[in-house]
């Protein structure tokens, strides 16, 4: 294993070991530290990450009601879900990148 970050085979093996464990026993701290280190060292990888982040964050969403009588409820749903939707988009980016 490299001192900067592991070879691809080592990294995939580490990911498979973590994936095989049940959720309460998973310790992904070192795994994510490796990923963050790779982004800070490998500028090409960071460029791919940044481009995908820009692409995902450029999408807009609209919550509309099927019936115009339900539009106030649709507006309320958008207001309540706005931060959650942004979090889902951000986490989707991390899932793809990592």
């Amino acid at each position: 294993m490299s001192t900067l970050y592991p070879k691809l085979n080592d990294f995939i093996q580490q990911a498979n070991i973590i994936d095989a464990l049940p959720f309460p026993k998973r310790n992904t701290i070192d795994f994510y530290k490796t990923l963050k280190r790779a982004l800070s060292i490998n500028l090409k990888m960071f460029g791919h990450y940044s481009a995908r982040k820009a692409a995902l964050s450029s999408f807009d969403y609209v919550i509309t009601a099927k019936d115009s009588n339900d539009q106030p409820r649709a507006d309320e749903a958008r207001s309540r879900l706005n931060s959650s939707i942004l979090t889902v988009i951000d986490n989707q980016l991390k899932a793809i990148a990592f």
Side-chain angles (χ1 to χ4, degrees):
M1 189 182 300
S2 171
T3 57
L4 297 178
Y5 50 88
K7 294 180 182 176
L8 183 59
N9 291 340
D10 296 336
F11 185 75
I12 291 171
Q13 181 181 10
Q14 184 183 11
N16 288 335
I17 290 170
I18 290 171
D19 196 35
L21 293 172
F23 281 111
K25 294 186 178 184
R26 290 183 185 183
N27 185 1
T28 58
I29 294 170
D30 291 334
F31 184 72
Y32 284 109
K33 282 182 183 177
T34 301
L35 291 169
K36 282 188 166 193
R37 192 168 48 241
L39 287 175
S40 66
I41 294 170
N42 188 330
L43 295 179
K44 183 177 181 181
M45 188 182 298
F46 180 73
H48 289 298
Y49 176 84
S50 297
R52 181 157 311 236
K53 183 174 184 174
L56 281 176
S57 63
S58 69
F59 286 105
D60 197 15
Y61 60 91
V62 178
I63 298 175
T64 57
K66 277 185 159 183
D67 183 10
S68 61
N69 294 334
D70 288 335
Q71 190 57 44
R73 290 180 59 208
D75 294 339
E76 181 183 353
R78 181 181 173 125
S79 173
R80 287 181 178 215
L81 295 174
N82 188 40
S83 64
S84 298
I85 290 171
L86 295 176
T87 301
V88 167
I89 291 172
D90 188 47
N91 287 338
Q92 178 64 23
L93 167 70
K94 291 174 185 172
I96 292 169
F98 299 141

